[in-house]
Amino acid sequence: MGCELCERDGGSTLWRDDFCRIVRVLSDDYPGYCRVILNRHAREMTDLNSGERERLMRAVFACEAAVRELFHPDKVNLASLGNQVPHLHWHVIPRHADDRNFPDPIWAAPLREGRAGGAPRRAAVSDGRLGTSLSALLAR
Amino acid sequence: MGCELCERDGGSTLWRDDFCRIVRVLSDDYPGYCRVILNRHAREMTDLNSGERERLMRAVFACEAAVRELFHPDKVNLASLGNQVPHLHWHVIPRHADDRNFPDPIWAAPLREGRAGGAPRRAAVSDGRLGTSLSALLAR
């Protein structure tokens, strides 16, 4: 059986190198939601060597820094689950106190309608703006 | 308002140093579930410097290695959420294909009864055994 993340990017690509890529997840409920995806196929963080783990986490933390700067979340959620698609990828999810699940995880039953049905109250951030921020952070 | 994780360990402590601690979460549904908790109060990974981030993730990955060795999970889930208690802590959750939520996150609605109501089918692992494994991994 093929692996979904080996075969497609899984969203619009904001940044990539020869090791991993950062894609934006289309989400009205969680604007700024990104995934950091390892390019090669591996299941668990401890299947990588320590240098590779550090490199992947560097991309995750750059992503956290970028979404904090641009989306001003009340909290950032980081998660590597992969139960459905066991190919290493990290969810970086800016959370707001008025989003549909806060303070529960986004995978729990919704607590309120959220913003999917209405106009977003926060300024939109383009893929280009987010990609520029990531490139600057990851060039350091 | 006080912070719950500044005031108590949040489970039985398996390992600790002057920077962070690893506690076992009492869970019939997810045996081997641990949390890695930063000792001092900070909200986000990007509130730490890069050396501190690396040190905390080293404990998280040691925990992943220990639970893989002792609980043989089908997948390990790692998550830093902190919406309810905004004090940095990582969930390290060994997942099995027959647990109550698999392949969904443990925070989603249960898909089956799980093992909480019945006798566990896997050998119990003592806190002492898990702590010894963590100490060996973190001494390297």
Side-chain angles (χ1 to χ4, degrees), chain A residues 43-47 53-54 57 61 64-65 68 74-84 90 95 102-105 107-108, chain B residues 43-47 53-54 57 61 64-65 68 74-84 90 95 102-105 107-108:
Chain A
R43 288 176 69 89
E44 306 283 11
M45 287 303 286
T46 48
D47 291 335
R53 287 198 288 267
E54 203 177 317
M57 295 317 293
F61 299 138
E64 176 177 297
R68 287 184 75 178
D74 295 307
K75 188 72 191 65
V76 179
N77 292 174
L78 305 177
S80 171
L81 307 177
N83 307 319
Q84 315 234 13
W90 281 87
R95 300 295 308 273
F102 199 91
D104 291 339
W107 303 283
Chain B
R43 289 175 68 87
E44 306 282 10
M45 287 302 287
T46 48
D47 290 335
R53 287 198 289 267
E54 202 176 318
M57 295 317 294
F61 299 139
E64 176 177 298
R68 286 183 77 179
D74 295 306
K75 188 71 192 67
V76 179
N77 292 174
L78 305 177
S80 171
L81 307 176
N83 307 318
Q84 315 233 16
W90 281 86
R95 300 295 309 273
F102 198 91
D104 290 340
W107 304 283

Side-chain angles (χ1 to χ4, degrees), chain A residues 47-100:
Chain A
D47 291 335
L48 307 185
N49 66 39
S50 62
E52 292 170 327
R53 287 198 288 267
E54 203 177 317
R55 188 171 175 185
L56 190 58
M57 295 317 293
R58 187 169 174 265
V60 171
F61 299 138
C63 198
E64 176 177 297
V67 301
R68 287 184 75 178
E69 179 194 340
L70 295 172
F71 295 90
H72 311 286
D74 295 307
K75 188 72 191 65
V76 179
N77 292 174
L78 305 177
S80 171
L81 307 177
N83 307 319
Q84 315 234 13
V85 183
H87 174 133
L88 271 177
H89 61 281
W90 281 87
H91 302 267
V92 178
I93 313 160
R95 300 295 308 273
H96 289 94
D98 63 355
D99 75 34
R100 69 201 290 261

Side-chain angles (χ1 to χ4, degrees), chain B residues 25-78:
Chain B
V25 178
L26 285 179
S27 170
D28 288 324
D29 282 315
Y30 313 103
Y33 185 166
C34 294
R35 284 196 193 102
V36 181
I37 305 172
L38 185 72
N39 290 341
R40 83 168 194 268
H41 189 80
R43 289 175 68 87
E44 306 282 10
M45 287 302 287
T46 48
D47 290 335
L48 307 185
N49 66 39
S50 62
E52 292 170 327
R53 287 198 289 267
E54 202 176 318
R55 188 171 174 185
L56 191 58
M57 295 317 294
R58 187 169 174 266
V60 171
F61 299 139
C63 199
E64 176 177 298
V67 300
R68 286 183 77 179
E69 179 194 341
L70 295 171
F71 296 90
H72 311 288
D74 295 306
K75 188 71 192 67
V76 179
N77 292 174
L78 305 177

